[in-house]
Amino acid sequence: MNFAQYEPHHLNPKFPIVFHYDKLEAGQFVAPHWHENWEILCFVRGSITAHLNTQEISAQTGETIIVPSNALHQLTSSQEGVEYYCLIFDRSFCAKYGFDTEEIFFRTKIKDSILLSKVEHIISEFRLKSDFYQAEILANVISILVHLARNYTVPSPLPLSKAHSIKLDIVKRAFSYVDAHYSEPLSIDDLAKCTGFSKYYFCHVFKDVTRMPPSAYINFIRCRHARELLSSEKYSVSEAALRCGFENLSYFSKIYKKYIGELPSKTAK
């Protein structure tokens, strides 16, 4: 199962973008997360359902979803699975060229052959890595921003209701707490306390917004960090489990297999 929490908030100032290919099998999903930067998702096979704050969007092959700054978003693949490219622009890089992520808003779903050709050019540059390829990629990113701004800007969206804004704030505070304490003993009571609400209300809000219970999210994040440790080949399975908050090795293996799709011993190879 594929998942994420936050994308980088501060990218390399010399190369301020993230670009990667992702593949989700049938029913797999990317867990809810948010970041200050714009994100472009170009789908090259299959279909997906995305949730951006309160908005639900479906996209398929050839379509693109543009994730606004600070939007809580998650992806769920269809039964046929999905493949896509993810491009994230650093907020300060955008502002340097006049693109303010808090003042410019794009349509959330488009189908545009020109945009796809620009993304394909970035793919080619990453593969070939010719001289000055990073400069060429950044020039193409600016070209993408200009193309979007000239053709797909929309008026400022209506603000979220006060009730939903409060719910999003509760969830984001819980995310931050999990990120800071995932390696420690962590309970639902701890998360509720950090948000300042009762356990019952917190659990209700968290599941309503993220479509998963808090305990599942904690395990997602712990398994993600464990996967990073195991992939580095510097930690054994038991070491990775302990460092990520799992005290029982058999339980760790069971949860890791459920969320990552393979046993931790396979990742460690």
Side-chain angles (χ1 to χ4, degrees):
M1 196 168 282
N2 199 347
F3 59 91
Q5 182 186 21
Y6 310 107
E7 299 289 354
H9 288 262
H10 303 289
L11 308 184
N12 181 349
K14 293 183 179 180
F15 193 60
I17 69 166
V18 167
F19 184 74
H20 54 82
Y21 162 84
D22 284 308
K23 179 179 181 180
L24 300 178
E25 301 297 342
Q28 289 185 325
F29 64 95
V30 177
H33 60 287
W34 90 96
H35 41 76
E36 294 180 335
N37 310 309
W38 281 327
E39 179 174 358
I40 291 180
L41 304 171
C42 297
F43 299 96
V44 296
R45 186 191 68 82
S47 58
I48 198 146
T49 299
H51 291 90
L52 310 181
N53 289 333
T54 59
Q55 186 180 16
E56 180 176 303
I57 304 171
S58 296
Q60 56 189 352
T61 304
E63 295 182 323
T64 296
I65 288 178
I66 303 174
V67 181
S69 171
N70 290 314
L72 186 69
H73 54 287
Q74 62 189 107
L75 307 174
T76 304
S77 72
S78 66
Q79 290 305 307
E80 59 184 318
V82 68
E83 297 176 34
Y84 61 97
Y85 285 95
C86 172
L87 176 61
I88 300 173
F89 315 117
D90 180 70
R91 180 182 181 183
S92 59
F93 173 79
C94 295
K96 180 179 178 181
Y97 293 95
F99 301 98
D100 190 327
T101 58
E102 294 185 352
E103 294 184 359
I104 298 175
F105 301 92
F106 301 126
R107 282 170 50 185
T108 50
K109 185 174 79 170
I110 63 175
K111 187 170 185 177
D112 187 295
S113 59
I114 295 176
L115 173 62
L116 292 180
S117 68
K118 293 179 185 295
V119 171
E120 289 170 356
H121 183 63
I122 291 176
I123 296 169
S124 176
E125 288 293 331
F126 266 114
R127 287 175 177 169
L128 295 175
K129 288 184 169 59
S130 301
D131 292 344
F132 306 107
Y133 79 95
Q134 289 189 340
E136 176 65 16
I137 289 172
L138 292 180
N140 211 53
V141 166
I142 295 171
S143 178
I144 286 174
L145 289 171
V146 171
H147 180 70
L148 292 175
R150 287 178 172 175
N151 296 281
Y152 296 106
T153 54
V154 295
S156 173
L158 293 174
L160 297 173
S161 68
K162 183 177 180 180
H164 198 79
S165 293
I166 292 173
K167 289 182 178 181
L168 286 178
D169 182 63
I170 290 171
V171 169
K172 288 182 177 181
R173 273 188 275 168
F175 282 0
S176 296
Y177 192 88
V178 173
D179 193 47
H181 299 280
Y182 70 88
S183 62
E184 308 165 12
L186 191 57
S187 69
I188 308 303
D189 288 318
D190 294 328
L191 296 186
K193 185 177 180 180
C194 88
T195 66
F197 290 89
S198 71
K199 181 178 178 180
Y200 173 81
Y201 182 72
F202 166 73
C203 289
H204 172 75
V205 168
F206 193 95
K207 190 168 184 179
D208 180 50
V209 173
T210 69
R211 298 166 183 81
M212 65 177 66
S215 57
Y217 187 81
I218 292 171
N219 282 332
F220 272 141
I221 299 310
R222 285 175 166 168
C223 286
R224 185 197 70 172
H225 285 285
R227 181 175 60 181
E228 292 174 354
L229 296 180
L230 293 171
S231 298
S232 74
E233 301 181 350
K234 296 180 180 179
Y235 301 90
S236 67
V237 171
S238 59
E239 288 172 334
L242 287 173
R243 283 177 174 269
C244 294
F246 291 100
E247 297 181 356
N248 185 298
L249 192 57
S250 61
Y251 178 73
F252 168 62
S253 295
K254 177 182 177 181
I255 294 298
Y256 191 92
K257 177 68 165 60
K258 176 181 179 180
Y259 292 149
I260 304 301
E262 63 183 21
L263 290 171
S265 57
K266 186 173 181 181
T267 303
K269 290 183 179 179

